[in-house]
Amino acid sequence: MTARRSLGALAAAGLLLSGCGAEPRQWLVSVSTDAPVPRFGDHLLLEVMGTDASCTGCMRLIGVDGPDSLPVSFGVVPRSEGAAVRVRARLYRAEQAGPDGLPDAAALIDAVAVLPPLLEGETRVALDLSMRCFGVPSAPGEGATCDPETGALAPEPVLPLLSDVAPQPRPGSWPGAAPVPCAGPAPAGMVCVPGGVFLLGAPRPGFAVDFDELSQPEHLVRLGAFAIDVDEVTVGAVRELVATGQLRSEPGVRDIDAPGSGRGACTYLGAEVRDDDALPVNCVTHAQAEEVCSALGKRLPTEAEWEYAAGNLADETAYPWGNAGDLCATALLGRGRHPTEADAGVFENAGCRPLGGTVPWGPVAGGAPGDVTALGVRNLAGSMSEWVADTFAPYTAPCWRPGGALLVDPVCRAPAPGAAQAFSYRGSSWAGYKLSAQATARSHDGPSTFNPATGFRCAQSMQSM
């Protein structure tokens, strides 16, 4: 049975009693949620509002470390008979808290309600935090809060008596949290990624770089099951498509040579050159990447699918292998060279290439063995940055807000207003920066852009019809 914890009365030191030694009449508010916790909330902030409440502006903050942490109950004592009192409850994650410990982001569940007239003794009422309202902050100054039936703001309700409602929801009982299995085994060279819900984006900026602001605000996303390539598409796979006439055009062969290596930074060197077959293909435009995936009977993964896979699904790890570790030792990144006149045109970054070191620059067959997810998808953090299906738009753009707090299988395919069309790519690369290796990091480039640091992998839907 779920434990019920009492927080006592939310009241100031000068609590008003009905008489000497007598128990005061009070409300006992029971708070629960159907949200999976602590995944979608590990802090519960309780607040009493109203000028006639004995603890106006009083707050209590409790930790929610698992389903057994809820429901919780707290008492509210009025200052006077007939007092109008409102209560507010907010369930949020620690990383959303500002310097004062209060939530300062919208990815939370927030409910405000009016307490009913007091009965004799203790008046027990129920306040439920519904996942239907995730990401819809209340507006207490306007008397509005989220209606769990519609997921939209509505006038603040009067709380029902606990005895008049169905049993309060159990944490984690939200139907949308159920995993979605793949419809059959994944094709060869791919892995099944069961569908589910997660938070797309980052909760707050961690560094003063472009992709931080591009990764906010967070969005609640539900994905169907899909399959994704274990590895990035290789030169050999593209050469075979060229040889069988399945591509309209070949990837461009670029003359960007590594001094003394005898090999270009662009890995595809022509339909007859087999030397680089094991390397990931690069120097491809977004359209060429889409064409290759289509010829293989697949498609580019969406931004949401890519991030979901890179962050290990519901675990939402910072990197494909987890939340920590030596990035330079685990992933193939930061191995560019300091620019010289002879190297013009090669993207440079030596963040993982120590001075005087012999770490090779450029693409590597197979990438880095440590850069792998729990499902076995390799080189999402490094090796190549990867084109994804979406037209680029900030997460504040209408493309990412089609209506409602929950986005289902989202894909953005409209250019940002007033801007030239660009496409998103994900992950860092052999020449990229460490910060870009985070699962939530995102960037973008023009449709005709190609470079030796960008490749791709393919995906396909795996849902039951």
Side-chain angles (χ1 to χ4, degrees), residues 311-374:
N312 288 294
L313 288 60
D315 289 343
E316 297 190 47
T317 55
Y319 304 99
W321 57 86
N323 290 311
D326 184 342
L327 269 64
C328 291
T330 309
L332 179 64
L333 46 80
R335 297 185 183 184
R337 299 162 297 159
H338 293 291
T340 66
E341 184 176 349
D343 299 337
V346 177
F347 184 76
E348 304 293 344
N349 170 35
C352 291
R353 186 179 173 86
L355 292 175
T358 58
V359 177
W361 77 281
V364 174
D371 184 359
V372 60
T373 70

Side-chain angles (χ1 to χ4, degrees), residues 96-457:
Q96 292 178 296
D100 57 1
L102 303 182
D104 64 355
L108 79 171
I109 308 178
D110 184 359
V112 180
V114 180
L115 293 176
L118 274 169
L119 304 175
E120 290 299 323
E122 197 171 62
T123 303
R124 298 182 175 228
V125 294
L127 177 59
D128 297 335
L129 297 169
S130 171
M131 273 297 287
R132 182 74 184 273
C133 290
F134 189 93
V136 185
S138 296
E142 302 171 13
T145 191
C146 178
D147 179 354
E149 295 297 323
T150 65
L153 288 178
E156 295 169 357
V158 176
L159 281 184
L161 297 178
L162 192 58
S163 59
D164 292 342
V165 298
Q168 288 191 277
R170 293 177 292 102
S173 61
W174 178 50
V180 182
C182 286
M190 306 183 82
V191 296
C192 163
V193 181
V197 291
F198 80 113
L199 288 172
L200 176 74
R204 63 177 57 254
F207 305 92
V209 293
D210 287 345
F211 68 71
D212 280 314
E213 63 181 39
L214 300 180
S215 299
Q216 297 176 300
E218 293 176 297
H219 291 281
L220 183 65
V221 169
R222 181 164 62 206
L223 294 175
F226 63 97
I228 193 168
D229 287 345
V230 170
D231 296 300
E232 294 156 330
V233 174
T234 63
V235 171
V238 174
R239 279 202 326 101
E240 183 174 347
L241 293 175
V242 172
T244 55
Q246 297 182 66
L247 295 183
R248 293 189 300 271
S249 62
E250 296 183 58
V253 180
R254 319 298 175 189
D255 185 17
I256 308 174
D257 293 327
S261 72
R263 177 171 60 80
C266 292
T267 53
Y268 183 90
L269 302 179
E272 306 303 321
V273 182
R274 302 174 180 271
D275 298 354
D276 290 351
D277 275 6
L279 293 174
V281 70
N282 58 8
C283 297
V284 291
T285 65
H286 188 269
Q288 287 172 325
E290 285 190 316
E291 185 184 5
V292 169
C293 286
S294 178
L296 294 170
K298 308 175 188 180
R299 56 172 172 79
L300 287 176
T302 66
E303 280 210 68
E305 289 172 340
W306 194 101
E307 184 173 317
Y308 186 60
N312 288 294
L313 288 60
D315 289 343
E316 297 190 47
T317 55
Y319 304 99
W321 57 86
N323 290 311
D326 184 342
L327 269 64
C328 291
T330 309
L332 179 64
L333 46 80
R335 297 185 183 184
R337 299 162 297 159
H338 293 291
T340 66
E341 184 176 349
D343 299 337
V346 177
F347 184 76
E348 304 293 344
N349 170 35
C352 291
R353 186 179 173 86
L355 292 175
T358 58
V359 177
W361 77 281
V364 174
D371 184 359
V372 60
T373 70
L375 289 177
V377 185
R378 296 191 282 254
N379 297 301
L380 288 167
S383 183
M384 292 288 176
S385 296
E386 300 177 9
W387 288 119
V388 290
D390 303 66
T391 301
F392 174 77
Y395 284 159
T396 54
C399 187
W400 290 104
R401 294 182 178 275
L406 178 66
L407 301 179
V408 180
D409 292 318
V411 56
C412 182
R413 292 294 285 186
Q421 186 184 55
F423 289 96
S424 298
Y425 65 83
R426 290 301 198 109
S428 192
S429 69
W430 62 269
Y433 293 98
K434 297 178 186 178
L435 299 181
S436 300
Q438 297 178 35
T440 57
R442 60 196 298 248
S443 194
H444 56 93
D445 227 328
S448 59
T449 300
F450 61 86
N451 69 63
T454 304
F456 64 100
R457 73 181 70 223

Side-chain angles (χ1 to χ4, degrees), residues 65-107:
D65 53 13
D68 290 341
S69 299
L70 297 170
V72 297
S73 300
F74 65 97
V76 180
V77 180
R79 186 181 297 277
S80 60
E81 289 295 323
V85 183
R86 297 147 71 215
V87 291
R88 184 180 193 182
R90 284 177 279 181
L91 182 67
Y92 62 100
R93 289 163 295 133
E95 57 262 36
Q96 292 178 296
D100 57 1
L102 303 182
D104 64 355

